[in-house]
Amino acid sequence: MSFKPANSIQDLQYFGEFGGINPSISDSSTYTFLSAKTMFDTFEGNTEGCYLYSRHSSPSNLYLGEALAAMEGTEAATITASGMGAITAIILQYCEADTHIVSSRTIYGGTYAFMKNFLPKLNISTSFTDITDLEKVEASITEKTKMLYCETVSNPLLEIANIEALSHIAKKHNIPLVVDNTFSPLSISPAKLGADIVIHSLTKFINGSSDCVGGVICGTKELILKLKDVNDGACMLLGSTMDSVRASSILKNLRTLHIRIKKHSENALYLAQQFEKDGLRVVYPGLESHTGHHIIKKQLNPEYGYGGMLTLDIGSLEKANELMELMQSKNLGYLAVSLGFYKTLFCAPGTSTSSEIPLEEQEDLGLSNGLIRFSIGLDNDIERTYNIMKECMIALNILTPEVTLN
Ligand code: PLP
């Protein structure tokens, strides 16, 4: 039977400070100790179960972390102020000077920029490889490699990582497999497939209302305590901490994630199937034509579907821009980066979210400048949406009326 992460979230029960059915929001940056000895012990490293200062942890962050750990099936989780706050912390926790990372070459532009431009300043290098070519991945690992890094469903090309196979490679070389699961919460549970550490940008589907940024690192209890260690924990010392009010509001949104993901998936699958029939160059992991379809199908928690992300290659940046502007003017969604909103969001990643990747490398990856990345919304009437999208494409000669009459 497949894992049902939404059940794990719902199985948590809350009794707030005054019997409230939501946990009370912790409104303190610091906490009292009943004895000076306990305070001393806490700073000596015995922090478990103690609140000392809200950069270390706060009740609201712990509640959200507990729910996300339940979702991913890990022992524990720690909340960060953004997805990049999670990514930079986990990398800096594991990698010291003169070490090396093996990373998928198709990853979020900010992560790529951090590995490519920032980490070399600390003498940490990265080999960017085709994550779908397992032999290449293994050949890139050296004795200096400290981490194998990938995204479950990659941004923006929607490549699918074979988590089980990658985890075997990582285990063989005694390095952790770190998986960014931002594009596929609930649909895929990387830790259940062998990933050691799962991270998310909470900014996207998990929060789902595009009103804040946030992140999480899910892993063993030992790792999470290490990240928060007062002497050398990257989360504690780099200071990317989420505010309690935000943590509490994200926890409330998390409870409807399963309903939203099912609808995002249903709508994206419908559009992808229609676009494919229309002869458009559409990429969606739920289509059999997707090169990673058989892998994602094997890894999927099927009730949640293949997710809300799809791409369309319109052929040129000019046409892509015209189409996005027209779709926005028809109220089909917003020309905006990010994902997981109730409205569809679209952008041309080559000139936005992946613009950190040099042009030659974009071409090499197959990231063409006519590519539009869609985060499909929760449209109640996706058939109506499709018809209006089709009209936009006909108006711009991307589709001909004859083709669409079939
Ligand atoms: N990971 C992925 C796959 C992303 O798409 C993003 C942002 O777009 C991030 C991480 C970074 O998250 P944040 O913007 O919350 O720092």
Side-chain angles (χ1 to χ4, degrees), residues 81-87 107-111 149 151 153-155 180-183 199-204 212-215 337-339 353 373:
S82 68
M84 283 310 294
I87 292 163
I107 48 172
Y108 166 57
T111 313
Y149 184 96
E151 293 173 1
V153 177
S154 79
N155 183 358
D180 180 339
N181 199 27
T182 300
F183 273 32
I199 51 188
H200 282 276
S201 163
L202 303 179
T203 316
K204 313 293 162 41
C212 69
V213 288
V337 298
S338 204
L339 37 134
T353 50
R373 184 189 76 181

Side-chain angles (χ1 to χ4, degrees), residues 73-269:
T74 58
E75 279 176 9
T78 189
I79 303 300
T80 54
S82 68
M84 283 310 294
I87 292 163
T88 52
I90 197 67
I91 290 174
L92 292 175
Q93 189 71 38
Y94 271 97
C95 304
E96 66 266 23
D98 199 26
T99 58
H100 171 250
I101 298 169
V102 174
S103 169
S104 164
R105 57 184 191 159
T106 79
I107 48 172
Y108 166 57
T111 313
Y112 176 89
F114 182 67
M115 290 176 177
K116 172 104 177 176
N117 306 327
F118 196 99
L119 289 178
K121 292 192 258 184
L122 309 175
N123 196 16
I124 301 166
S125 61
T126 304
S127 297
F128 295 98
T129 67
D130 177 353
I131 207 74
T132 63
D133 185 335
L134 298 172
E135 279 177 24
K136 263 197 193 148
V137 170
E138 186 155 14
S140 307
I141 296 173
T142 71
E143 74 274 12
K144 293 190 173 177
T145 307
K146 289 281 180 176
M147 168 181 296
L148 181 53
Y149 184 96
C150 68
E151 293 173 1
T152 323
V153 177
S154 79
N155 183 358
L157 294 176
L158 311 182
E159 278 182 358
I160 307 302
N162 186 339
I163 308 288
E164 263 172 338
L166 291 167
S167 96
H168 287 139
I169 295 174
K171 282 189 177 54
K172 184 170 152 195
H173 293 271
N174 205 20
I175 53 174
L177 172 63
V178 180
V179 178
D180 180 339
N181 199 27
T182 300
F183 273 32
S184 44
L186 300 181
S187 296
I188 299 181
S189 305
K192 293 282 169 195
L193 298 163
D196 300 284
I197 297 154
V198 183
I199 51 188
H200 282 276
S201 163
L202 303 179
T203 316
K204 313 293 162 41
F205 289 102
I206 289 180
N207 184 51
S209 46
S210 292
D211 54 1
C212 69
V213 288
V216 68
I217 303 170
C218 306
T220 62
K221 205 160 136 187
E222 188 189 350
L223 170 73
I224 300 308
L225 285 175
K226 231 183 199 167
L227 283 163
K228 295 198 286 190
D229 190 282
V230 293
N231 292 308
D232 67 352
C235 287
M236 179 65 180
L237 299 177
L238 296 173
S240 158
T241 307
M242 180 175 283
D243 181 73
S244 293
V245 178
R246 268 307 170 202
S248 145
S249 89
I250 295 173
L251 177 62
K252 284 176 270 187
N253 288 351
L254 177 65
R255 296 173 186 151
T256 56
L257 180 63
H258 59 300
I259 301 168
R260 290 185 278 115
I261 287 289
K262 286 175 192 178
K263 190 66 179 165
H264 285 298
S265 293
E266 180 190 313
N267 284 352
L269 179 65

Side-chain angles (χ1 to χ4, degrees), residues 108-109 155-157 183 309-325 327-328 334-339 344-357 359 362 366-375:
Y108 166 57
N155 183 358
L157 294 176
F183 273 32
M309 303 301 294
L310 65 82
T311 67
L312 264 186
D313 192 344
I314 301 301
S316 73
L317 180 60
E318 293 67 33
K319 268 276 180 261
N321 286 343
E322 276 180 65
L323 178 60
M324 291 191 293
E325 286 171 12
M327 287 191 297
Q328 180 163 253
Y334 294 111
L335 202 182
V337 298
S338 204
L339 37 134
T344 294
L345 302 177
F346 33 81
C347 64
T351 49
S352 59
T353 50
S354 298
S355 58
E356 297 90 342
I357 303 174
L359 272 183
Q362 289 191 21
L367 204 178
S368 64
N369 62 9
L371 193 87
I372 302 179
R373 184 189 76 181
F374 288 81
S375 162

